[in-house]
Protein backbone atom coordinates (compact mmCIF):
# COMPACT_ATOMS: atom_id res chain seq x y z
CA UNK A 1 0.00 0.00 0.00
CA UNK A 2 1.48 3.40 -0.91
CA UNK A 3 2.46 5.54 2.04
CA UNK A 4 0.68 8.84 2.63
CA UNK A 5 1.73 12.05 4.31
CA UNK A 6 -0.48 11.16 7.26
CA UNK A 7 1.47 7.99 8.02
CA UNK A 8 3.20 8.05 11.43
CA UNK A 9 4.69 5.55 13.84
CA UNK A 10 1.30 5.45 15.59
CA UNK A 11 -0.92 4.62 12.63
CA UNK A 12 1.33 2.75 10.22
CA UNK A 13 0.28 -0.63 11.67
CA UNK A 14 -3.35 0.07 10.79
CA UNK A 15 -2.50 0.27 7.07
CA UNK A 16 -1.06 -3.20 6.54
CA UNK A 17 -3.03 -6.45 6.99
CA UNK A 18 -1.89 -9.03 9.53
CA UNK A 19 -0.54 -12.10 7.77
CA UNK A 20 2.40 -14.39 7.07
CA UNK A 21 3.53 -15.14 3.55
CA UNK A 22 6.42 -16.72 1.69
CA UNK A 23 8.27 -14.76 -0.99
CA UNK A 24 10.46 -16.38 -3.65
CA UNK A 25 13.29 -14.55 -5.42
CA UNK A 26 16.08 -15.69 -7.69
CA UNK A 27 19.43 -13.92 -7.58
CA UNK A 28 22.98 -15.09 -8.19
CA UNK A 29 21.58 -18.28 -9.70
CA UNK A 30 19.91 -19.19 -6.41
CA UNK A 31 16.33 -19.44 -5.25
CA UNK A 32 15.96 -17.29 -2.14
CA UNK A 33 12.94 -18.16 -0.02
CA UNK A 34 11.94 -15.55 2.53
CA UNK A 35 9.18 -15.51 5.12
CA UNK A 36 7.37 -12.30 5.95
CA UNK A 37 6.08 -12.96 9.48
CA UNK A 38 3.31 -11.23 11.39
CA UNK A 39 2.87 -8.38 8.94
CA UNK A 40 0.71 -5.77 10.61
CA UNK A 41 1.22 -7.23 14.09
CA UNK A 42 2.71 -4.12 15.72
CA UNK A 43 3.97 -0.64 15.01
CA UNK A 44 7.27 -1.72 13.40
CA UNK A 45 5.96 -4.12 10.75
CA UNK A 46 7.42 -1.93 8.03
CA UNK A 47 10.56 -4.02 8.54
CA UNK A 48 8.69 -7.33 8.22
CA UNK A 49 8.24 -7.32 4.46
CA UNK A 50 10.28 -6.87 1.28
CA UNK A 51 10.04 -3.38 -0.19
CA UNK A 52 10.65 -2.59 -3.89
CA UNK A 53 13.98 -0.78 -3.53
CA UNK A 54 15.51 -3.88 -1.96
CA UNK A 55 14.75 -5.87 -5.09
CA UNK A 56 16.14 -3.05 -7.24
CA UNK A 57 19.43 -2.96 -5.30
CA UNK A 58 19.77 -6.74 -5.54
CA UNK A 59 19.57 -6.41 -9.32
CA UNK A 60 22.38 -3.82 -9.29
CA UNK A 61 24.48 -6.13 -7.11
CA UNK A 62 23.83 -9.14 -9.30
CA UNK A 63 24.81 -7.12 -12.37
CA UNK A 64 28.19 -6.36 -10.79
CA UNK A 65 27.70 -2.59 -10.54
CA UNK A 66 29.12 -2.68 -7.01
CA UNK A 67 31.72 -5.44 -6.47
CA UNK A 68 30.98 -7.37 -3.28
CA UNK A 69 33.78 -9.95 -3.17
CA UNK A 70 35.65 -9.65 0.15
CA UNK A 71 34.04 -6.29 0.95
CA UNK A 72 32.85 -5.39 4.44
CA UNK A 73 29.19 -4.39 4.22
CA UNK A 74 26.84 -2.94 6.82
CA UNK A 75 23.13 -2.89 6.00
CA UNK A 76 20.75 -0.56 7.84
CA UNK A 77 17.08 -1.47 8.01
CA UNK A 78 17.66 -4.95 6.62
CA UNK A 79 14.04 -6.03 7.13
CA UNK A 80 13.68 -9.72 6.32
CA UNK A 81 17.17 -9.89 4.83
CA UNK A 82 17.02 -10.00 1.04
CA UNK A 83 19.78 -7.50 0.20
CA UNK A 84 22.16 -8.78 2.86
CA UNK A 85 21.63 -12.36 1.70
CA UNK A 86 22.41 -11.47 -1.91
CA UNK A 87 25.51 -9.50 -0.89
CA UNK A 88 26.69 -12.48 1.19
CA UNK A 89 26.17 -14.87 -1.72
CA UNK A 90 28.29 -12.51 -3.83
CA UNK A 91 31.22 -12.89 -1.39
CA UNK A 92 30.80 -9.95 0.99
CA UNK A 93 31.32 -9.96 4.75
CA UNK A 94 27.88 -8.63 5.72
CA UNK A 95 26.36 -7.36 8.95
CA UNK A 96 22.57 -6.99 8.72
CA UNK A 97 20.80 -4.75 11.23
CA UNK A 98 17.28 -3.73 12.18
CA UNK A 99 15.10 -3.10 15.21
CA UNK A 100 15.24 -5.71 17.99
CA UNK A 101 11.76 -7.09 17.23
CA UNK A 102 12.65 -7.50 13.54
CA UNK A 103 15.92 -9.42 13.78
CA UNK A 104 14.43 -12.75 14.91
CA UNK A 105 12.65 -13.43 11.64
CA UNK A 106 15.50 -11.88 9.68
CA UNK A 107 17.98 -14.23 11.31
CA UNK A 108 15.85 -17.25 10.37
CA UNK A 109 15.70 -16.10 6.74
CA UNK A 110 19.42 -15.35 6.61
CA UNK A 111 20.39 -18.69 8.12
CA UNK A 112 18.09 -20.65 5.82
CA UNK A 113 19.43 -19.01 2.66
CA UNK A 114 23.14 -18.80 3.42
CA UNK A 115 23.96 -22.26 4.74
CA UNK A 116 25.99 -22.91 1.60
CA UNK A 117 27.86 -20.72 -0.83
CA UNK A 118 28.91 -17.85 1.45
CA UNK A 119 32.58 -17.12 2.04
CA UNK A 120 31.72 -15.14 5.17
CA UNK A 121 28.81 -16.18 7.43
CA UNK A 122 26.55 -13.11 7.59
CA UNK A 123 25.93 -11.53 10.98
CA UNK A 124 22.57 -10.25 12.23
CA UNK A 125 22.52 -7.54 14.90
CA UNK A 126 19.80 -5.41 16.53
CA UNK A 127 20.23 -1.69 15.95
CA UNK A 128 18.13 1.35 16.77
CA UNK A 129 19.32 4.28 14.69
CA UNK A 130 21.14 6.85 16.76
CA UNK A 131 21.49 4.63 19.85
CA UNK A 132 24.37 2.49 21.16
CA UNK A 133 26.06 2.60 17.76
CA UNK A 134 29.40 1.45 19.18
CA UNK A 135 27.85 -1.96 19.87
CA UNK A 136 27.88 -2.67 16.11
CA UNK A 137 31.12 -1.18 14.89
CA UNK A 138 34.28 -3.26 15.12
CA UNK A 139 36.59 -3.26 18.15
CA UNK A 140 39.09 -0.84 16.60
CA UNK A 141 38.50 2.85 15.91
CA UNK A 142 40.00 2.32 12.46
CA UNK A 143 37.38 -0.29 11.50
CA UNK A 144 36.22 0.40 7.97
CA UNK A 145 33.09 -0.59 6.04
CA UNK A 146 33.50 -0.69 2.29
CA UNK A 147 29.74 -0.29 1.85
CA UNK A 148 26.95 0.99 4.07
CA UNK A 149 23.62 0.28 2.41
CA UNK A 150 19.95 0.88 3.03
CA UNK A 151 16.79 0.49 0.95
CA UNK A 152 13.46 2.17 1.63
CA UNK A 153 14.83 3.55 4.89
CA UNK A 154 13.51 7.08 4.19
CA UNK A 155 9.87 6.95 5.21
CA UNK A 156 9.11 8.74 8.49
CA UNK A 157 10.46 12.25 8.98
CA UNK A 158 10.98 11.87 12.71
CA UNK A 159 13.69 9.25 11.99
CA UNK A 160 15.69 11.45 9.60
CA UNK A 161 18.04 12.88 12.24
CA UNK A 162 18.81 9.49 13.79
CA UNK A 163 19.40 7.92 10.38
CA UNK A 164 21.78 10.74 9.48
CA UNK A 165 23.68 10.32 12.76
CA UNK A 166 23.91 6.57 12.17
CA UNK A 167 25.29 6.97 8.65
CA UNK A 168 27.93 9.42 9.85
CA UNK A 169 28.98 7.04 12.61
CA UNK A 170 29.55 4.03 10.38
CA UNK A 171 31.08 5.74 7.35
CA UNK A 172 34.41 7.28 6.47
CA UNK A 173 35.40 8.96 3.18
CA UNK A 174 36.38 5.57 1.70
CA UNK A 175 32.95 4.07 2.35
CA UNK A 176 30.48 3.81 -0.50
CA UNK A 177 26.94 4.54 0.66
CA UNK A 178 24.08 3.03 -1.34
CA UNK A 179 20.58 4.30 -0.58
CA UNK A 180 17.71 2.84 -2.56
CA UNK A 181 14.85 5.32 -2.42
CA UNK A 182 11.23 5.15 -3.48
CA UNK A 183 9.90 8.68 -3.11
CA UNK A 184 6.34 8.17 -1.92
CA UNK A 185 5.95 11.66 -0.46
CA UNK A 186 8.55 13.38 -2.58
CA UNK A 187 8.88 16.74 -0.83
CA UNK A 188 9.18 15.07 2.56
CA UNK A 189 11.65 12.43 1.41
CA UNK A 190 13.82 14.96 -0.38
CA UNK A 191 14.24 16.79 2.92
CA UNK A 192 16.26 13.81 4.11
CA UNK A 193 18.43 13.96 0.98
CA UNK A 194 19.17 17.62 1.70
CA UNK A 195 20.11 16.71 5.27
CA UNK A 196 22.22 13.83 3.99
CA UNK A 197 24.11 16.11 1.58
CA UNK A 198 25.46 18.18 4.47
CA UNK A 199 27.83 15.30 5.25
CA UNK A 200 27.93 13.27 2.02
CA UNK A 201 28.62 13.82 -1.65
CA UNK A 202 26.16 12.30 -4.10
CA UNK A 203 28.54 10.57 -6.51
CA UNK A 204 25.83 9.32 -8.83
CA UNK A 205 22.08 8.86 -9.06
CA UNK A 206 21.37 5.46 -10.61
CA UNK A 207 17.98 5.45 -12.27
CA UNK A 208 15.74 2.41 -11.86
CA UNK A 209 14.67 1.22 -15.34
CA UNK A 210 11.05 2.01 -16.07
CA UNK A 211 10.44 3.79 -12.77
CA UNK A 212 10.69 7.48 -13.72
CA UNK A 213 11.84 9.99 -11.11
CA UNK A 214 10.22 8.39 -8.07
CA UNK A 215 12.77 5.60 -7.63
CA UNK A 216 16.52 6.09 -7.58
CA UNK A 217 19.63 4.50 -6.11
CA UNK A 218 21.93 7.10 -4.58
CA UNK A 219 25.66 6.33 -4.56
CA UNK A 220 27.47 8.61 -2.11
CA UNK A 221 30.65 9.22 -0.16
CA UNK A 222 31.22 11.00 3.13
CA UNK A 223 32.92 14.38 3.11
CA UNK A 224 36.20 14.73 4.97
CA UNK A 225 39.94 14.09 4.92
CA UNK A 226 40.50 17.25 2.90
CA UNK A 227 37.45 16.49 0.73
CA UNK A 228 39.29 13.65 -0.95
CA UNK A 229 38.30 12.65 -4.47
CA UNK A 230 34.96 10.89 -3.98
CA UNK A 231 35.41 9.02 -7.25
CA UNK A 232 38.48 7.18 -5.91
Amino acid sequence: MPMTEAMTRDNIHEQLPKRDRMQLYNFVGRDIILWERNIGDDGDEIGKRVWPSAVDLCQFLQNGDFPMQDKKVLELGSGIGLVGIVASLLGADVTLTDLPNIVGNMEENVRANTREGCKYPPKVRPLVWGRNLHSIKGPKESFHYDYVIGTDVIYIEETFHDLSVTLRHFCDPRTTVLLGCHFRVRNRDLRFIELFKKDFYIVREHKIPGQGVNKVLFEARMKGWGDMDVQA
Side-chain angles (χ1 to χ4, degrees):
M1 172 178 292
M3 293 190 179
T4 67
E5 196 147 18
M7 182 173 286
T8 68
R9 285 188 190 277
D10 296 326
N11 69 14
I12 192 172
H13 65 282
E14 299 171 1
Q15 302 189 38
L16 293 173
K18 295 178 175 64
R19 66 191 186 280
D20 291 357
R21 67 180 179 185
M22 185 183 74
Q23 298 280 50
L24 174 64
Y25 300 89
N26 188 283
F27 287 104
V28 203
R30 294 269 298 266
D31 284 339
I32 298 172
I33 299 173
L34 301 176
W35 278 97
E36 297 177 337
R37 302 283 190 188
N38 302 318
I39 305 171
D41 215 28
D42 57 41
D44 292 311
E45 69 283 74
I46 197 165
K48 296 180 179 179
R49 58 179 295 185
V50 176
W51 292 90
S53 293
V55 180
D56 297 330
L57 180 52
C58 287
Q59 190 63 57
F60 279 104
L61 298 183
Q62 178 174 258
N63 292 345
D65 295 85
F66 306 101
M68 290 285 110
Q69 186 69 39
D70 297 320
K71 301 299 185 182
K72 291 190 180 296
V73 177
L74 176 70
E75 185 181 10
L76 305 177
S78 302
I80 65 172
L82 178 61
V83 176
I85 289 167
V86 171
S88 294
L89 293 172
L90 287 167
D93 182 359
V94 182
T95 301
L96 302 90
T97 68
D98 213 310
L99 295 169
N101 66 313
I102 301 296
V103 296
N105 182 50
M106 183 207 306
E107 192 163 25
E108 290 180 12
N109 283 322
V110 170
R111 184 168 54 248
N113 288 281
T114 60
R115 289 190 178 119
E116 299 177 355
C118 290
K119 184 174 182 179
Y120 305 97
K123 299 172 285 295
V124 173
R125 300 286 185 268
L127 177 66
V128 179
W129 296 340
R131 301 182 188 176
N132 300 318
L133 301 179
H134 291 285
S135 67
I136 300 294
K137 201 167 184 178
K140 298 180 181 179
E141 284 297 317
S142 60
F143 190 87
H144 164 69
Y145 286 108
D146 298 292
Y147 292 94
V148 173
I149 60 181
T151 57
D152 279 312
V153 292
I154 303 169
Y155 55 90
I156 297 178
E157 192 161 2
E158 66 189 78
T159 67
F160 287 179
H161 173 75
D162 290 338
L163 176 57
S164 179
V165 167
T166 301
L167 286 165
R168 290 199 305 269
H169 178 81
F170 289 116
C171 294
D172 63 51
R174 298 168 295 164
T175 303
T176 296
V177 180
L178 300 176
L179 292 179
C181 302
H182 184 176
F183 295 120
R184 294 171 175 84
V185 183
R186 191 171 180 82
N187 290 339
R188 178 203 64 192
D189 298 342
L190 285 174
R191 285 196 286 272
F192 174 79
I193 299 302
E194 292 306 309
L195 176 64
F196 177 72
K197 286 163 67 174
K198 292 180 179 180
D199 297 294
F200 292 84
Y201 294 100
I202 302 294
V203 177
R204 186 178 174 188
E205 296 183 19
H206 299 264
K207 302 302 181 184
I208 309 300
Q211 297 297 323
V213 298
N214 288 326
K215 292 181 72 177
V216 63
L217 175 66
F218 289 100
E219 178 183 353
R221 292 283 183 91
M222 190 176 188
K223 298 176 182 178
W225 294 356
D227 289 340
M228 62 185 293
D229 182 3
V230 297
Q231 301 285 356

